[in-house]
Amino acid sequence: MGLALLLLIWLITLLSTYFFVAKTWWLPTGAAAAAHWIDNQFALTFVLMGIVFLAAQLSLGYLAWRYREQPSSPPVTYSHGNTKLEVIWTVLTAVLFIGLNLMGAPVWAHERFAPADANAVQVEVTGMQFAWYFRYPGADGKYGKTSFKLMDPSAGGEAAVGLDTADPAAKDDVVTGTMYLPVDREVDLSLRAVDVIHSFFVPAFRFKQDAVPGLNIHMHFKPTTIGEYEIACAELCGLGHYKMHGKVHVVSQEDFDKWLAAREAEKQSNRDPC
Ligand SMILES: [Cu+2]
């Protein structure tokens, strides 16, 4: 029985370690400026935790076999444990976790607390059950007013985000269902939610942030590779959560300007039918 336990524990341990080493299920290639920092931190965390995991599970298997019941085994006695060992592994664990946190904090804080580049492109992202909308402030660089009283998710587009069309600053705001971003330019993101908490997650950018009703959360990041990437909602937000995804197209500055101008023209022609 002791031997069977040892083999079973070692088998589970080595099999689960294999999937991490072989990277069977892994992150997509990083496509944002902070991706390599986050990947390095991720790898370091996995290696350190992997060593602890292997050492703990392999010893567990060994000890289950080493102290198996035998005809010569003495009667069981109560053991208090070893205070010194407990103190040592608690301190080591604390050093490991606090150390990893301190190492990761600068990148995390930079995206949130440092201001975005002066030439950053402004995009507002609004999450609602179960879609994402993206708003660009237009030529004036100013977002028009929005109001929760005007929000009508069933109408989609501008009405869904509650745009106040009477506000002059709203006249050139463009609201779309697909996100376009210029490559190698920082994105000054404003995150909002209409109904419940959603989470804006772009795995390729290593970017994830909750969108909370009543809050306007500012963050920034910089896409570095032209391509098409998936946006997912990473917060269980209701029955349709599984289909709450979108696309972000990272294109050249020229293509971005063309795309935005076309959306702007589309909006103006819808507004003044003649
Ligand atoms: Cu959601």
Side-chain angles (χ1 to χ4, degrees), residues 128 130 132 196-199 233-237 241 244:
M128 66 194 67
F130 298 95
W132 295 106
V196 297
I197 299 175
H198 299 277
S199 183
C233 179
E235 189 73 62
L236 185 57
C237 58
H241 164 69
M244 186 170 170

Side-chain angles (χ1 to χ4, degrees), residues 2 19 75 111:
F19 290 115
E111 288 187 336

